[in-house]
Amino acid sequence: MPRAETAIAAILACLTLGACAAAPAYAPPKVETPAAFKEIGPWTPAAPADAEPRGAWWSAYGDPVLDDLEARAEKANATLAAAVAAHDQADALAAQARAAFLPEITGAGTGARYHRSDNTPLRVGGPDDYSNIQLGASTSYELDLWGRVRAQARAARDQAQASDADLANVRLSLQAQLADAYLALRGLDAQSKLLADTADAYDRALKLTTIRHDGGASSGLDVGRAQNQLSTAKAQISDVAAQRALYEHAIAVLVGEPASSFNLPPLATRLKPPTIPVTLPSALLQRRPDIAAAERRAAAANAQVGVAQAARFPALTLGGAAGWQSAGKVALLASPNTYWMIAPQLAGPIFDGGRRKAGVIAARAAFDQAAANYRGVVLGAFQNVEDQLALSNRLAEEAKDQTDAVDSAQRTETLALTRYRQGAASYLEVVTAQTATLQAQRAALSLETRRLQASVDLVRALGGGFSAESLKR
C-alpha cells in the first residue's frame, strides 16, 4: 500500500476509534510498604482505619475553648484563605482545559457605509453610496487524533486533585499548629498556678523562719535561704508569663485576629492525652494529604508526557463560518444573503531542530522527578509516624516514673519541714527538699504537655481527618 494511503488509513482509524492515546499508561509509583509499624504500644494501639480520628479530631481533648478556636481559625486564617484561593484557581484551570473538548464558536457582526471616489479606476455601474452589513459566526475544533487534548485535560484534572490535597494538608497543619500552641499555653497556665501555690508556701516558710530567728531558734542564714527560695519562685512566675504571652500572640495570628486585641484568660485545666488508634502502614497512603498530593502530581506529569508526544504529530483542525451578508438593498436575514464555509486544516512539524523530541525527554524526566518525590514523601511519612509513636509511648512510660518522683519529693519535703520545726535539721535541708519537689512537679507538668503535643503530632502524622476518597474524580 502506498505511504499516502497508509497515512490516510491511519488517520481514519484514529477517527473511528475516537483518538489515539499518546500518554503512557499510569500507575502510582511503587514504594515498599512495611506490614506494620514497629513502635505500636499501649498508648497507640492498632485499630481499623475507620477508628482513626476524622473530622474534628481535636474534640478528643474535651476542651470547648480549643473547639471554638479551631472553628475561628477555619473561618479567618490567612494561610488557609490563600490555600482555598489556590485550590479555586486549580479548579478553574481544569475547567478551562476541559473546554477544549468542545468546539469554540465566535460570533461577529459588522456594518459599514461606503462612498466610492470619483477617481475609482475602471469604475462600472452601481451606486456611489452603498452599505455592507454582515452577521455571522465562525467555529474551530481540533480533532484529538493523538490524545493531546485529553492528556492536557487529564493533567489539569490531576493538578486540581493535587490542589485538593494541598488544601487538606494546609488545613490539617493549621489545626495541628493551633492545637499544639493551645496545649502549650495551657501547660504554662498549670505551671503558673503551681509556681503561685509554691510561692505562697515559700512565703509561709519565710514567715516561720523569721519568727524562729527572732526567737533565737534560727540563724540569719536560714532567713536568707528562705527569702532566696521565695524570690526565685516569683522570678519563675514572670518567666512563665513571658512564654505564655508568646503562645497567646501566635494563637491570635492563627485565628486571624490582631495580637494586640486577642486575649485568652488563664485556665489551669489538666487535659489528658487521648489514646490514638493506628492502622496499617498501607492505609497511610490513603490518609495523608501530602502523599495524595505527591501522587496526583506524578499522575499529572505522566499526562504531560502524552501532551509532549502528541505535539510531534500533525494536528487536524476543522474550521467553518456561516452567516448573512447584505449590501443594504434587502433584509439582512433573507435567504439570498446567506453564506457558509468549511475549512479543514492539517498541520504538522517537518523540521524543528529536535525541539519536540527534547520536549518529550523533558516531560519524561519531570515524571521521574515527580515519582521520586512521591517515594520520598511516603518514606518520610512512615518515619514521621514511627517517630511520633515512639515519642508517645516512651513519654507515657516516663510519666509514670515522674509521678513516683513527685510523690517521693513531696514526702521528703514534708519530713524536712517537720524536722526543721522540731529543731532536728537546718533550713538548708528544707531548701534542698523544696527545690527537688518544685523541679519534680514542673518536670511532670512539662512532660504532661509534651505528651499532649505528641498526640497532636501523631494525629497529624496519621493524616488527621483526611481521606484520599474525598478527592474529586
Side-chain angles (χ1 to χ4, degrees):
M1 181 181 292
R3 292 184 178 179
E5 294 180 4
T6 301
I8 293 174
I11 292 176
L12 290 176
C14 286
L15 288 172
T16 302
L17 295 175
C20 293
Y26 173 73
K30 292 184 179 180
V31 181
E32 183 179 353
T33 304
F37 292 111
K38 69 177 182 179
E39 296 291 347
I40 292 290
W43 279 92
T44 54
D50 55 4
E52 292 192 49
R54 291 183 181 274
W57 53 266
W58 55 87
S59 61
Y61 297 93
D63 191 311
V65 178
L66 176 58
D67 295 343
D68 177 66
L69 291 172
E70 292 285 1
R72 289 159 66 180
E74 177 70 24
K75 296 177 181 178
N77 181 264
T79 302
L80 182 59
V84 170
H87 164 268
D88 293 344
Q89 181 185 22
D91 279 351
L93 292 175
Q96 190 178 55
R98 289 194 301 270
F101 286 118
L102 301 174
E104 182 175 350
I105 301 175
T106 304
T110 60
R113 181 68 175 173
Y114 296 92
H115 174 76
R116 291 196 297 180
S117 168
D118 292 339
N119 297 321
T120 301
L122 302 177
R123 187 175 179 186
V124 296
D128 291 336
D129 297 306
Y130 64 96
S131 300
N132 184 10
I133 302 174
Q134 183 173 334
L135 179 64
S138 62
T139 183
S140 177
Y141 178 65
E142 178 182 347
L143 296 178
D144 195 21
L145 299 181
W146 317 110
R148 184 188 67 84
V149 176
R150 288 192 302 158
Q152 283 183 328
R154 190 179 304 115
R157 181 204 64 187
D158 294 337
Q159 288 288 0
Q161 292 172 350
S163 181
D164 290 341
D166 286 339
L167 176 58
N169 194 42
V170 171
R171 178 174 281 111
L172 175 59
S173 297
L174 168 63
Q175 293 167 350
Q177 189 177 355
L178 177 55
D180 185 270
Y182 178 79
L183 295 173
L185 181 139
R186 290 311 185 203
L188 291 173
D189 284 345
Q191 295 257 3
S192 181
K193 184 179 185 303
L194 169 65
L195 289 170
D197 293 341
T198 300
D200 289 341
Y202 288 176
D203 184 62
R204 292 192 297 270
L206 174 60
K207 291 177 180 178
L208 171 64
T209 305
T210 301
I211 292 173
R212 289 173 58 85
H213 174 267
D214 294 342
S218 297
S219 67
L221 186 60
D222 289 344
V223 175
R225 285 168 175 163
Q227 181 63 58
N228 177 68
Q229 283 286 84
L230 176 59
S231 299
T232 300
K234 289 181 176 179
Q236 291 174 338
I237 291 175
S238 299
D239 181 71
V240 168
Q243 296 180 53
R244 186 190 191 280
L246 298 182
Y247 279 110
E248 188 177 60
H249 300 163
I251 292 172
V253 174
L254 291 173
V255 300
E257 295 186 18
S260 301
S261 59
F262 182 79
N263 180 55
L264 275 178
L267 181 63
T269 182
R270 301 288 294 272
L271 302 176
K272 294 183 178 180
T275 300
I276 308 298
V278 182
T279 61
L280 296 176
S282 57
L284 195 66
L285 305 183
Q286 297 297 317
R287 291 188 55 87
R288 291 260 306 215
D290 56 342
I291 292 179
E295 187 276 327
R296 288 291 82 197
R297 288 193 168 90
N302 181 79
Q304 288 294 349
V305 174
V307 175
Q309 289 177 338
R312 304 182 66 184
F313 300 99
L316 178 60
T317 303
L318 296 180
W324 296 268
Q325 184 174 15
S326 172
K329 293 181 179 181
V330 295
L332 174 62
L333 302 182
S335 178
N337 295 333
T338 58
Y339 71 90
W340 60 270
M341 176 268 294
I342 296 178
Q345 176 180 313
L346 184 66
I350 296 177
F351 176 76
D352 64 359
R355 180 171 62 86
R356 288 176 175 80
K357 180 180 179 181
V360 173
I361 295 174
R364 287 174 175 166
F367 170 74
D368 291 340
Q369 180 185 23
N373 288 338
Y374 169 77
R375 288 189 288 268
V377 171
V378 172
L379 293 176
F382 290 152
Q383 177 193 350
N384 193 204
V385 174
E386 291 286 7
D387 288 347
Q388 300 310 320
L389 286 174
L391 190 59
S392 296
N393 291 313
R394 301 303 178 272
L395 289 179
E397 296 171 0
E398 184 181 350
K400 295 179 182 178
D401 294 332
Q402 189 60 42
T403 299
D404 293 339
V406 170
D407 294 340
S408 177
Q410 289 176 330
R411 288 194 300 269
T412 301
E413 181 183 355
T414 301
L415 181 60
L417 281 170
T418 301
R419 284 169 51 82
Y420 174 69
R421 290 190 183 98
Q422 296 173 350
S426 69
Y427 199 75
L428 177 60
E429 187 174 306
V430 175
V431 169
T432 302
Q434 287 177 333
T435 301
T437 299
L438 181 59
Q439 289 177 343
Q441 289 174 326
R442 294 196 68 184
L445 289 176
S446 296
L447 187 57
E448 189 176 279
T449 300
R450 289 179 62 196
R451 290 186 63 198
L452 288 166
Q453 291 176 313
S455 66
V456 171
D457 292 337
L458 178 57
V459 171
R460 180 177 180 177
L462 292 171
F466 175 80
S467 171
E469 297 174 358
S470 64
L471 289 178
K472 297 194 304 290
R473 294 294 175 180

